[in-house]
Structure formats: C-alpha cells, structure tokens
Amino acid sequence: MTHIPPPAEELRLVDAELWQLDARRSQLLARRAWLVAALQPQWQAPQQSGPTPSAPPRPEASAPSVQNVLLVLGGVLLTVAAMVFTLVSWGHLGIAGRSLVLGAVTAAVLAAPLPLLKRGLRSTAESVAGLGLALTVLDAVALHGAVFPRTPGAPYTAVASALLAGLWAAYGLLPRTAELRLPRPAALVAAQLPLFFWAVAADAGSYGLTAALLVTAGADTLVALRMTSASLRVVAATGAYATGAWGVLAAGWLTWSASGPSAAARAAALLLLASAIALTAGWRGGREATRAPGEEQSRGLALTAGLLAVAALGGVARSALPGVWTVPVHLALGIALLAALRPARLPETVRRGLLWASGAVQALSLLWTLPVVGVVVLGPLSWASQAWTGAPPDARAAVTSHLTWPPYSETVPLILAVLAGVLALTVRDTTWRPRALTAALALVWAAFLTVPAVLELPYSVGLLIQGAATAGVLASAVLLSRPVALVPALVASVSLAFLSLATRPATLTTLCALVVLFAAASWRAAPVTVPTALGYAAALACATGAAADWSAPHTALLVLTVPAAAALLAWRLTDSPASLPIELAGATTALLAVALTVTDLPMLALVLALCAVITAGTAVREDRRPLGYAATALFLLATWVRLAAWEVDIPEAYTLPVTIPALLVGHLRRRRVPETSSWTAYGPGLAATLLPSLVMAWDDPDWTRPLLLGLAALSLTLMGGGYSLQAPLVLGGSVLTLDALHELAPYIVQVTDALPRWVPLALAGLLLLALGATYERRIRDVRRMRDFLGSLH
C-alpha cells in the first residue's frame, strides 16, 4: 500500500521541491543569458511579431528631489500654522495653557527627529528639526509678548538670540541629534545677533556698534578657521564677510568724519582690528591653501588687511596734520608695507597681498597728482590765442590762465619723486627692471615739470626749469637707449613751446633752444628727433617773420628753408631709417608755406615753383624718381597760379605749359624705347591743348581762334601722315574736321532752311543707293584705310 505522510510533513516536502525547482530555474536562466551573449554575433534572439511596447516615460523629477520638496513644503506649512496659532489663537489661553502648549509642542517637535533617525529617515528628521528650531523662535516671540511685554526689544533680542544659539548648539551636539546638519549652522546664524543688539541696548554709540560688528566678524573668522565641518565653515565665512564689511564701512565713515585726533584714534583702532582679523585669516589661509581659489582668497585678505592698516593710521595723521600732508602720509604708510615683506616665515600669498596693497596705495597717490600734472602740461596751450601779450606774474599764473589750480597740491613734486625712488630701488626683477626705470624717469620728469607752478616761481625761472626737464628726459632717452622716454620729452617740448608764447624774446629763444636740443640728440634717435627739430625750425621761421613784421606770404619764403634743409638731410641719410620721416616733415612744412600764401597769388606761384624745385632735386635720387611727377605738377600749378595772377583767361596759356613738356618727354621716351606707341608718347600732350581749344572754338563768335586751331590741326595731320604717327594723324584730323564743321555750320543751316523738306530725304535715299551699288568697292577701300592706319605707329 502507498504511504501517505501527514499533512504537515507533506507540506514540508512540497516546499522543498518548489525551492529546488526555483534554484534550478535560476541556474538555467543564468546559463541561457551567458549563451545568448556568447552567440550574439552569429545569432539574434527572435523578434516579436507584434508591435514593440513603448518605453515607460522618464520621470521628470528624481525621488530624492520630490522627497526634499515635500519635506520643505511640509515644514513651511507647519511653521506658518504655528505662527498663525501664536499670533491669533494665543490670547484665548491662560498663562498655564500657553506654557503647556508651547512646551509640549516644541518638546514634541524637537524630540521627533530621534525616532526618525533611528528608523533611517534622515531627510524627514532634518525637516522636523528645522520646524522645531522655528518653533523655538516663535516661542521667544510669544514669551516677549505675553510674559515680558515691557522689556525693550534690543536687550530681549540680545538675550533671546544668545539663548537660542546656545540651545540650538546643545541640541546639535546631543548623541543622537549630532547626525543632524541643521542645528549647528542655525546656532551660528543666531550667534550673529547678540553682540550687536547688546551694543544697541547699552547705547554704545557708533563706535560700540562698529566694534560689536567687528568682534562678531572675528568670532566668525575663528570658527571658519577652526571648524572641520564644511557647512559650518561656509556659514561662518559668510557671516564674517557680511558683518566685517558692514563694520569696515562704518569704521571708515567714522575715520573720515572724525572731528579730532581722539575720535580718529578710536576709529583707527576699529580699522586696525578689522585689519588684524583679515591678516589672521589670510595668514592661516595662506598656510593651508593648496588650490588656486584658496590662494586668491588669502591674497585678497592680505590686500584688504594692508589697505585697512594704511587707512587707519592715515586717518589719525589726517586729523592731526594739515590737509596738504594727507596724501604723503598715506603714501609713506603704503611704502612702509614693503618692510613687512622681509620676514621669511611670511606665507607667499600674504606677501603678495601686502605687495599689492602697497602698489594700490602708490597708484592712488599717483592718481591724485594727475590733475596738477595735467594743468601744468595742458595749461600753456591757451597762450596760442594770446601770444606775445606779456609775461604772467609767476609760473602758476602762466598755466592757469584758463584753468583752475587744484587744492592741496604743494606736495605733488615730493610724491612724484618718492614714487620714482620706490620704483628705482625696489624693482629688482630682470624683466621688470627696465620698465621700472623708464617709469621712474617719467615720474622724475613730471616732478621737475610741476615744481615751478607749485612753488609759484617767476615765469622766466619756470621756463628754465621746464627746459632743463625736457633736456634731461631727452638726454636720458638717448643715452640710456629708452625710446619710450621720448614720449615725455616730446610732450614737455610742446608744452614748453606754447608756454614761451607769452613774450617775443622767450618764444624766439625757446624755439632756438628746442631746435638745437633735438638736433643734437639726432645721433641716436634720428627718426624722431630730426623731424621734431625740423618742425620747431618751421615754428621758429614763422616766429621770426612775425617778429620782423613780415606778412604771412613773405614769411612763407623763410619757412621754405626748412623743406630745403630736409631734402638735403634726406639725401645725406639715404640708407638711414630717418630718411622717410625727414622727407615727410619737409613735405608738411612745405604745405605750411603754401597755406601762408593762399591770399597772395604771385607769392603762391613763387612758393609753388620753389617747392617744385625742391621736389625735382629730390627726384634726382634713384629711389625717389617717382617724385618727378609731383615736381612737374607743382611747376604746372605754379604756372597756372601766375597766369591767374596776371588775369589771363586764354585757355591755351594754361594748356600749352602742359603740352610742350609732355611732348618733349614723349619724344625722349620714343627715342629711348622705339616700341612706344604714339598714343602713349604724344596723345596726352596733344589732347591737353587741342580738346580745350576745340571746346572754346565752338563757343567763340570770332574767326581768329577757329582759324589758328584749324591750322594747328592741319599741321598735326600732315606731320602724322609724314612720320607715320597714328596719334597726331587721328587727333589732328578729328579736330580739323570738327573745326571745319563748326565754321560751315551757319551756311549748312541756311541751305537747309532754303531747301524743301523733301530734299534731305531724297539726298539720303540717293546716298543709300550709291553706297549699296558700290558696296564691295567701298568695303575694300575701308579695309585698305584700316590697314594703312594700322601700319602707322
């Protein structure tokens, strides 16, 4: 008989079989997957015949994001509900009820994160903890309204924020709640308030409030440097920057508005405290920085510390010294920062930050001197409209005739000299040293330039000092081979030239000195100094003519000596790079001479002719042969101006001076190059006279011009035929034909009026018939004429 086990035993056996079947199924599925992967290149799994099911849509928000949004919204709604309850329903409960509700709700909410953390619901615990922290704030507000209604707001806020900061910090340090990330940063945020509101409650004044802000910033800095938690470091750094910035602004305002040394000293102490905090943070950050952002932050803090220290000590000095010494004292303090760079244990980032702070102070000092330098350099330009009106009383009046002198400028030369010394002594890098020396040279030049106006020296002494400064910077540029230094030399020379326009002797003497000075410097910087010397020579020529009471056209003859000298210099310096600048300077002065004679046509013609002579002399050089065209154009222009001065209105008088040289040049060209076409050699010259004369002959009622033009055209036609030249033959024949038609036109008109209207039509028809009858012979004759003209040159 078959053995049937009990139900419990049978169930156990069935479960065992099912488990073995599941295990075997898993093994077979794994083996199948491996086989499919191995046979993938040769075998593809059978495709489903039906439509492929679409992939499920990708979620637009991840589960953690949805969770965080829901938790934050829930916490906000609960907080709002608690606020509504506190503000609206609070009055319906008694003192005991209020205490019980506040205590129970707050305690329950603050205790709720513990089981949530135990169950692994960290995000929910964070949200509930945030709600609990918000409830503690509402508790403090409710207690002030119900229990301490008469307590002033400032002291209560100070005490409440301190207690809340301590409570939140303790709550965040409990064994289980230490896993929460919100309580300790929240405690740090609450810790920003107690000192400030305590200072407000104690009526500490502006200094006390500023000190409270700076002490809070110092505490935040200490927390940011000591803590290892990233969230605490971020919150502490944010608080330090925020409260520190407000404290620095307040301390700076107190320094600026200090009424005496005592107030300035107290404000300076606050700024020094801020400087010490920034320097400490930068020092510590410079030691720990291993990445570029950390280095930049440390460098910026060191820069801020240096600037705050200079502002603090400079504010004290400003309150105790006259206003004229404010900038020099700040500059001295900025230079003193360089001494702090000597300790070897100083981090490199802090060293660079202090160096930048010193550079910033020096740059601001230099910026303060620019108005004075600008007035000294640009002020003399106003003498161009009041030349030779008399010497001013002193050098300052000479540069401020149309400008205002800046206040507190007595120390400008000292500042410029000190800056030059710092550049020359401190910059030792081989790359930056030449640039620093050039900048120092420019600063020394600016210092010398401002001395006469600052000290209100006599006008003549100011001219001498400015001339010496110009000569010094020019000599330095030439002797030390610093082309950049030529720029201040040119600027100073132009300012000096305008400044000398006050009196006639000063103008002539200064211009002579400038010509000699730049000419003497031409042995090393000729491309710049020689054209400058030529320019001042032209100015000297104009001044000499004006001093001799010459008219402007006669002065132009004296100015022409400058382009003549420029042409000679360019000829002697043919292979020098200064040749082209010298020629350009000569051309510019020649244009000046032409401009001086535009009101006097005879002198204009003479000046143009002299310019043509100078240009022709330059065109003799092999590399300047194209200037021959310019010389020819100048000669022609001079001839035309002379004819206009003689009131000559015959066009041939203007065109023949063009035709004769053109024909001569064309004849020489054909002798040298026999292949040259007659159109190239003689066409332009002949057309220059024939065409204008033909136009005038058509409007001339007299017979003289058409007769002479016809004789000239006939001569050209015969000459072209005799010498087998195409251009004279065609031009002469065309002009002769048109001139003959012009002379026969009245008679043709008379005959046309006398004939019936059908006669022209009949004549035209007969002509067409005759042409058609002799078409072949006419074509042959035309071809013969074409061949004949083609055989001509």
Side-chain angles (χ1 to χ4, degrees):
M1 294 179 64
T2 303
H3 175 68
I4 299 177
E9 181 66 19
E10 185 177 1
L11 179 61
R12 185 183 65 78
L13 294 174
V14 170
D15 289 338
E17 289 291 338
L18 291 175
W19 180 83
Q20 291 179 1
L21 289 175
D22 291 337
R24 183 58 178 168
R25 177 179 174 80
S26 299
Q27 293 176 1
L28 294 176
L29 288 175
R31 182 61 180 175
R32 182 183 182 280
W34 182 86
L35 292 174
V36 169
L39 297 175
Q40 187 66 32
Q42 295 84 12
W43 175 83
Q44 296 290 338
Q47 300 293 331
Q48 295 181 359
S49 59
T52 304
S54 60
R58 184 177 181 180
E60 297 182 357
S62 62
S65 300
V66 175
Q67 168 190 311
N68 293 333
V69 171
L70 294 177
L71 292 176
V72 170
L73 289 177
V76 170
L77 292 176
L78 289 175
T79 303
V80 172
M83 292 175 62
V84 172
F85 172 77
T86 303
L87 297 176
V88 177
S89 302
W90 182 254
H92 299 290
L93 301 176
I95 297 296
R98 298 171 187 174
S99 302
L100 289 176
V101 170
L102 283 174
V105 172
T106 304
V109 173
L110 291 176
L114 297 177
L116 294 175
L117 289 173
K118 188 175 182 180
R119 293 178 176 271
L121 303 176
R122 183 186 183 89
S123 299
T124 306
E126 293 283 356
S127 300
V128 175
L131 176 60
L133 299 181
L135 287 176
T136 56
V137 177
L138 295 176
D139 292 344
V141 174
L143 286 175
H144 179 263
V147 182
F148 308 103
R150 297 183 179 181
T151 303
Y156 183 82
T157 303
V159 174
S161 58
L163 292 177
L164 287 176
L167 175 63
W168 293 349
Y171 180 73
L173 295 175
L174 292 176
R176 291 296 300 170
T177 57
E179 301 178 12
L180 297 174
R181 291 174 293 182
L182 185 61
R184 283 177 291 176
L188 193 56
V189 172
Q192 310 298 312
L193 304 178
L195 277 179
F196 180 77
F197 282 99
W198 173 81
V200 173
D203 198 11
S206 301
Y207 293 93
L209 294 176
T210 305
L213 289 173
L214 293 176
V215 171
T216 304
D220 290 335
T221 303
L222 183 62
V223 172
L225 294 176
R226 293 289 184 180
M227 292 297 175
T228 58
S229 174
S231 59
L232 288 178
R233 291 171 67 93
V234 171
V235 173
T238 304
Y241 280 118
T243 56
W246 282 108
V248 167
L249 291 176
W253 173 254
L254 292 174
T255 302
W256 181 260
S257 60
S259 57
S262 177
R266 286 183 290 169
L270 296 174
L271 284 177
L272 289 176
L273 174 60
S275 175
I277 294 172
L279 183 61
T280 303
W283 192 309
R284 181 69 177 271
R287 288 183 173 181
E288 297 180 355
T290 57
R291 296 193 301 266
E295 294 180 0
E296 294 178 359
Q297 187 178 23
S298 175
R299 193 182 304 122
L301 290 172
L303 169 64
T304 304
L307 293 178
L308 291 177
V310 171
L313 300 178
V316 175
R318 184 180 63 85
S319 63
L321 296 175
V324 70
W325 292 102
T326 299
V327 177
V329 168
H330 283 80
L331 177 59
L333 293 172
I335 296 173
L337 287 177
L338 298 176
L341 306 179
R342 296 187 177 277
R345 59 190 183 89
L346 199 66
E348 182 62 24
T349 54
V350 176
R351 188 189 305 274
R352 288 186 176 274
L354 294 178
L355 180 62
W356 286 10
S358 177
V361 174
Q362 296 178 51
L364 291 175
S365 302
L366 177 62
L367 187 63
W368 181 79
T369 64
L370 291 183
V372 177
V373 177
V375 170
V376 171
V377 173
L378 301 179
L381 299 180
S382 61
W383 286 103
S385 61
Q386 49 183 352
W388 297 354
T389 56
D394 53 59
R396 181 179 295 185
V399 299
T400 56
S401 57
H402 289 77
L403 298 175
T404 303
W405 185 252
Y408 304 115
S409 57
E410 289 80 1
T411 57
V412 168
L414 175 63
I415 292 173
L416 293 172
V418 170
L419 290 174
V422 171
L423 283 176
L425 296 176
T426 58
V427 180
R428 296 297 180 182
D429 185 73
T430 55
T431 303
W432 289 94
R433 176 114 181 121
R435 305 174 189 175
L437 291 178
T438 303
L441 182 64
L443 291 174
V444 170
W445 161 77
F448 274 105
L449 212 62
T450 56
V451 165
V454 169
L455 300 181
E456 296 182 284
L457 298 178
Y459 171 71
S460 57
V461 177
L463 278 179
L464 291 176
I465 293 178
Q466 188 164 348
T470 304
V473 71
L474 181 60
S476 301
V478 174
L479 296 177
L480 300 178
S481 299
R482 301 190 183 281
V484 181
L486 291 173
V487 176
L490 295 176
V491 173
S493 65
V494 173
S495 178
L496 178 62
F498 278 97
L499 186 62
S500 66
L501 293 177
T503 62
R504 183 178 303 176
T507 302
L508 297 176
T509 304
T510 301
L511 291 177
C512 288
L514 289 175
V515 171
V516 174
L517 178 64
F518 280 93
S522 299
W523 63 283
R524 291 289 295 274
V528 177
T529 55
V530 174
T532 305
L534 291 175
Y536 285 126
L540 178 60
C542 294
T544 303
D549 291 331
W550 291 0
S551 63
H554 289 84
T555 303
L557 296 176
L558 188 59
V559 174
L560 278 180
T561 59
V562 177
L568 292 175
L569 283 174
W571 173 66
R572 292 296 301 271
L573 303 173
T574 303
D575 298 331
S576 173
S579 178
L580 181 59
I582 291 173
E583 290 176 347
L584 292 177
T588 304
T589 54
L591 290 176
L592 173 62
V594 172
L596 291 174
T597 58
V598 291
T599 58
D600 191 342
L601 292 182
M603 290 300 298
L604 178 59
L606 177 59
V607 168
L608 288 173
L610 294 175
C611 291
V613 172
I614 296 172
T615 307
T618 304
V620 174
R621 293 165 48 188
E622 186 67 27
D623 57 338
R624 292 292 186 266
R625 290 296 172 82
L627 290 178
Y629 299 103
T632 304
L634 288 173
F635 276 122
L636 177 62
L637 189 59
T639 304
W640 287 354
V641 172
R642 172 53 65 181
L643 292 174
W646 287 338
E647 298 182 355
V648 176
D649 56 357
I650 300 176
E652 288 77 11
Y654 295 90
T655 58
L656 285 176
V658 180
T659 297
I660 294 173
L663 293 177
L664 180 61
V665 172
H667 178 65
L668 295 176
R669 173 78 176 185
R670 278 184 59 84
R671 289 185 61 181
R672 183 177 300 177
V673 184
E675 296 81 7
T676 303
S677 172
S678 61
W679 286 105
T680 303
Y682 305 118
L686 294 174
T689 296
L690 291 176
L691 297 182
S693 298
L694 179 62
V695 173
M696 295 297 297
W698 275 75
D699 294 333
D700 193 350
D702 203 359
W703 59 272
T704 306
R705 186 188 300 275
L707 177 60
L708 295 176
L709 179 61
L711 293 176
L714 178 60
S715 302
L716 288 175
T717 304
L718 296 176
M719 186 181 298
Y723 288 97
S724 299
L725 297 176
Q726 193 178 53
L729 178 62
V730 173
L731 287 175
S734 301
V735 172
L736 180 61
T737 303
L738 294 175
D739 188 55
L741 289 176
H742 171 264
E743 293 301 314
L744 294 175
Y747 303 101
I748 295 174
V749 171
Q750 293 178 5
V751 172
T752 303
D753 293 337
L755 293 176
R757 295 183 180 274
W758 56 270
V759 173
L761 299 176
L763 292 176
L766 292 175
L767 178 63
L768 292 175
L769 290 175
L771 290 175
T774 58
Y775 180 82
E776 184 177 0
R777 189 176 65 180
R778 301 301 182 186
I779 291 298
R780 185 173 61 251
D781 294 340
V782 170
R783 288 176 180 175
R784 289 177 180 177
M785 179 59 69
R786 185 189 62 186
D787 296 338
F788 171 72
L789 292 177
S791 64
L792 301 179
H793 295 283

